Amino acid sequence: MKDVAVVGGGPSGLAAAVRLAEKGFDVAVIEVMGELGGMLEQCIHDGFGTKVFGETLSGPEFAERFVKKAYSLGIQVFLNTYVKQVKAGGRVKEIVAVSPSGVQRLETRAIVYAIGCRERNGFEIRLGGTRPAGVYTAGMVQRLVNLYGVLPGRRILIMGGGDVGMIVARHLQLEGAESILIVFPEAGFAGLPRNVQQCVLDFGIPFKPRTVVKRVIGKERVEGVVLTRVDEKWNPIEGTEEFYACDTVILALGLVPYTGELKLGVRIDPATRGPEVNEFFETSVEGVFAVGNLVQVFDYVDDAVETACIAARGVEKYLNGGLKTSPVRLAPSGKVRMIVPQRVEWVDEENVVAFLRPAVEKSNARIELRSSGGKVLERFFRRYVRPSTLERIEVSRSVFSGQREVETDIADG
Amino acid sequence: MRQILQTAELLCTRCPRGCLLRVKVVESRVAVEGNECPVGEKHAAEEVFNPRRIVSTTVRIVGARLPRLPVRTSEPVLKSRAIDIVAALKNMVVEAPVKAGQIILKNVAGTGVDIIAERDMERA
Ligand SMILES: Cc1cc2nc3c(=O)[nH]c(=O)nc-3n(C[C@H](O)[C@H](O)[C@H](O)COP(=O)(O)OP(=O)(O)OC[C@H]3O[C@@H](n4cnc5c(N)ncnc54)[C@H](O)[C@@H]3O)c2cc1C
């Protein structure tokens, strides 16, 4: 029997596995792909690791540090192995996994889920028109271009102004696409300014705000799309339809935690769309932890990795019989869209690290934690907050003592 | 009258606010508008006189599990050279095994900067 089974061999899963193996636990990592490293293997651009390593690395370089560490610590790695079933109710948990060598059963005392997120697809936004070849998700294009050297097409339309769409636009521009247009319903790009400048403006890639694809046109292959302008509520404006000729449509519609792949009934937070967790990233099922992009989509892999390191401490407490008290709910309100963790319940001395997404754009903002009676318990000053940037705060333990619920909000500074 | 040599609009990337900087180059000095803090001015000067980026792409690799090897410039290069750098690597073929950090091409496109491998690639 293992002490810990980590499901998912991306940066978060590997960080948790490495930390736990360093503490002396017997750890296994189960990864569905043929290689460790997760999403980062295809992110060949730089910009990773500024917080964890204090230098800017490419995705593969960042991942490799954890992969090498994992192998050098003798962590058992199962590749090409898909977790099909989990029984996690009791102290001994059982994982049923499938691999080319057959069905395997693994017994373990704790589980860390780190299966990342998936891309939103055309069905979720009810993309209209025919279903020809040439419609891809952005992550798939990134994989084709950077792992296999395959260009999906020459004349490209990208739907979505987030970071992933912009990064893929730059890859395609450099690798020889003939034309690229980016469209999105918002008034401006949703991603980081760094990516707007370095991926779009640097290359003069054209873009159209307040524009969406009404339908895709083409029988065998994409021949073009019908674009339409939208208002502030994203409703189409009549009479603004126009045809745009292209052979490829790329959906960069955002990422969602991969909760559909969790084979057990953990509670899901509708705001993050990931599992609800406590301050050590333990789900609503005891001894089952969730870390990284599975919990919520992080802007920086560094933050995803930090959740894994915090969870490793939680797993240690769980395996050593640490104590809990009655849970204090940590709730978003008004100007905060979501917050992780959703509850605080372990007996522990250290500060609680929380990540929250503002619902507003504001300069000189105060992130406030309040009791249910409205008393401000702790506040954090920020020069500037905006929805596209996740905020990390470190909350003193004492804030939670004697409370049943603590609310977070953003007030004027 | 002083001569305006160049004007540019660019986004400051030093913080999440992302100020839109309107930059005028006047006699080898920059005049910046739109910045909310002094960092924007410094950033604008750097972006106008010496805009550098790490350039990442892939090259063909034979004898490995995958057909492409991710590579990048060992240091930031002038951003106007990105397209030439990728073009210079277009027909390049390397053979596995390769180690992360290994120099794949010296002085790419005359930039004085090397191209290095981003990862290990074993012989398959
Ligand atoms: C296009 C793009 C660009 C990005 N750019 C940046 C950037 O510039 N800077 C930055 O800091 N971050 C960036 N990110 C984010 C970064 O990639 C993520 O933060 C990071 O990969 C999250 O790590 P993770 O381990 O949580 O998830 P992942 O990397 O997604 O790893 C999850 C792993 O779980 C495996 N898995 C899934 N289901 C199962 C199952 N049932 N059984 C077993 N294994 C399973 C998957 O195969 C995968 O290996 C970018 C992301 C994308 C998509």
Side-chain angles (χ1 to χ4, degrees):
Chain A
M1 180 157 68
K2 292 282 169 193
D3 293 322
V4 191
V6 176
V7 185
S12 310
L14 291 174
V18 163
R19 280 293 171 101
L20 287 161
E22 282 172 346
K23 291 178 197 286
F25 293 109
D26 185 8
V27 184
V29 173
I30 306 173
E31 166 59 51
V32 69
M33 303 298 276
E35 189 169 43
L36 295 176
M39 212 57 176
L40 291 188
E41 290 306 325
Q42 63 186 67
C43 298
I44 66 165
H45 57 285
D46 73 310
F48 301 84
T50 45
K51 296 188 200 176
V52 173
F53 296 117
E55 52 183 314
T56 160
L57 303 170
S58 73
E61 288 167 345
F62 184 97
E64 197 141 272
R65 298 203 175 179
F66 287 101
V67 173
K68 287 206 167 124
K69 196 92 216 234
Y71 282 114
S72 76
L73 286 165
I75 292 170
Q76 191 177 11
V77 176
F78 298 88
L79 293 174
N80 299 307
T81 306
Y82 175 75
V83 170
K84 194 152 170 37
Q85 211 178 27
V86 174
K87 285 199 199 102
R91 289 311 269 189
V92 176
K93 310 188 187 301
E94 191 194 55
I95 292 177
V96 181
V98 194
S99 76
S101 50
V103 177
Q104 297 173 41
R105 262 163 236 283
L106 186 76
E107 281 189 343
T108 180
R109 294 165 64 208
I111 298 176
V112 177
Y113 262 104
I115 58 178
C117 46
R118 67 168 177 83
E119 297 182 272
R120 289 180 68 218
N121 57 46
F123 296 104
E124 287 173 90
I125 59 156
R126 302 207 198 110
L127 182 62
T130 52
R131 293 271 173 273
V135 182
Y136 299 83
T137 64
M140 177 55 72
V141 170
Q142 202 184 36
R143 219 178 154 72
L144 284 173
V145 173
N146 293 342
L147 260 48
Y148 300 98
V150 175
L151 263 190
R154 301 259 160 219
R155 289 172 302 141
I156 313 282
L157 179 96
I158 298 176
M159 296 170 61
D163 291 312
V164 180
M166 293 192 275
I167 287 165
V168 166
R170 174 175 57 188
H171 289 317
L172 291 168
Q173 173 80 21
L174 284 172
E175 305 304 330
E178 275 165 33
S179 61
I180 303 176
L181 175 68
I182 308 176
V183 300
F184 44 86
E186 298 89 351
F189 281 98
L192 302 170
R194 179 186 146 96
N195 287 329
V196 179
Q197 180 62 47
Q198 301 193 353
C199 300
V200 181
L201 303 181
D202 269 10
F203 297 99
I205 296 173
F207 58 91
K208 289 191 180 188
R210 293 266 184 252
T211 303
V212 299
V213 171
K214 184 147 196 206
R215 59 180 180 276
V216 177
I217 291 172
K219 279 201 197 83
E220 300 288 315
R221 174 82 199 187
V222 172
E223 289 161 24
V225 293
V226 175
L227 298 176
T228 176
R229 307 258 307 155
V230 295
D231 62 19
E232 305 86 68
K233 290 187 177 134
W234 301 16
N235 293 319
I237 301 172
E238 239 174 277
T240 60
E241 292 181 9
E242 57 173 324
F243 177 76
Y244 179 82
C246 58
D247 59 24
T248 307
V249 174
I250 298 177
L251 311 175
L253 304 172
L255 307 168
V256 192
Y258 215 167
T259 36
E261 281 294 310
L262 285 180
K263 310 291 185 207
L264 67 175
V266 300
R267 255 200 322 273
I268 304 296
D269 178 347
T272 58
R273 301 178 72 174
E276 274 184 31
V277 292
N278 63 27
E279 74 272 38
F280 285 116
F281 292 84
E282 186 183 23
T283 67
S284 57
V285 178
E286 280 213 332
V288 177
F289 295 73
V291 299
N293 272 2
L294 169 64
V295 179
Q296 68 141 85
V297 179
F298 287 94
D299 306 329
Y300 292 99
V301 66
D302 306 66
D303 292 335
V305 162
E306 186 182 13
T307 66
C309 297
I310 295 169
R313 276 193 58 223
V315 172
E316 182 181 26
K317 280 175 92 82
Y318 171 78
L319 292 176
N320 292 338
L323 296 176
K324 285 182 186 164
T325 56
S326 56
V328 182
R329 226 171 82 79
L330 190 53
S333 79
K335 303 196 175 68
V336 174
R337 193 174 288 164
M338 40 125 294
I339 186 158
V340 162
Q342 290 87 348
R343 66 183 192 280
V344 174
E345 62 184 353
W346 284 89
V347 177
D348 195 74
E349 237 81 280
E350 293 204 18
N351 291 348
V352 171
V353 174
F355 297 91
L356 61 96
R357 196 168 287 285
V360 291
E361 194 161 339
K362 206 189 227 341
S363 30
N364 297 325
R366 262 185 348 225
I367 299 168
E368 288 185 346
L369 298 182
R370 296 191 205 126
S371 69
S372 40
K375 187 165 162 256
V376 176
L377 303 166
E378 194 163 8
R379 55 168 63 119
F380 304 87
F381 179 75
R382 290 290 183 276
R383 288 279 304 270
Y384 196 74
V385 296
R386 63 189 307 210
S388 64
T389 305
L390 197 69
E391 292 294 334
R392 176 190 183 279
I393 54 175
E394 260 189 70
V395 187
S396 325
R397 274 275 159 185
S398 57
V399 161
F400 301 98
S401 67
Q403 307 291 336
R404 285 180 59 194
E405 177 166 314
V406 172
E407 262 190 6
T408 42
D409 205 349
I410 294 175
D412 291 324
Chain B
M1 207 182 87
R2 293 197 297 173
Q3 198 187 357
I4 295 169
L5 299 171
Q6 188 191 345
T7 61
E9 283 200 346
L10 52 98
L11 284 177
C12 186
T13 59
R14 300 297 173 95
C15 93
R17 181 196 290 255
C19 293
L20 178 64
L21 308 178
R22 284 176 299 276
V23 192
K24 281 185 199 139
V25 183
V26 187
E27 291 171 355
S28 78
R29 287 263 192 88
V30 293
V32 186
E33 275 173 35
N35 55 313
E36 293 279 342
C37 79
V39 179
E41 233 157 285
K42 201 167 146 263
H43 181 75
E46 248 179 69
E47 278 286 283
V48 168
F49 296 122
N50 192 21
R52 287 179 178 267
R53 308 278 187 263
I54 295 273
V55 177
S56 304
T57 182
T58 64
V59 296
R60 200 169 150 221
I61 184 165
V62 292
R65 201 177 66 80
L66 290 166
R68 304 298 291 191
L69 172 73
V71 297
R72 66 173 173 90
T73 54
S74 57
E75 286 161 48
V77 293
L78 276 179
K79 71 175 186 186
S80 54
R81 302 305 310 279
I83 299 272
D84 306 339
I85 288 170
V86 174
L89 295 167
K90 194 114 225 160
N91 297 315
M92 179 139 193
V93 184
V94 299
E95 204 174 318
V98 169
K99 285 271 170 219
Q102 184 177 325
I103 295 176
I104 299 299
L105 182 64
K106 274 195 148 25
N107 187 18
V108 63
T111 55
V113 166
D114 300 333
I115 293 292
I116 58 171
E118 289 188 5
R119 56 167 294 176
D120 290 0
M121 203 73 107
E122 270 119 56
R123 267 203 94 76

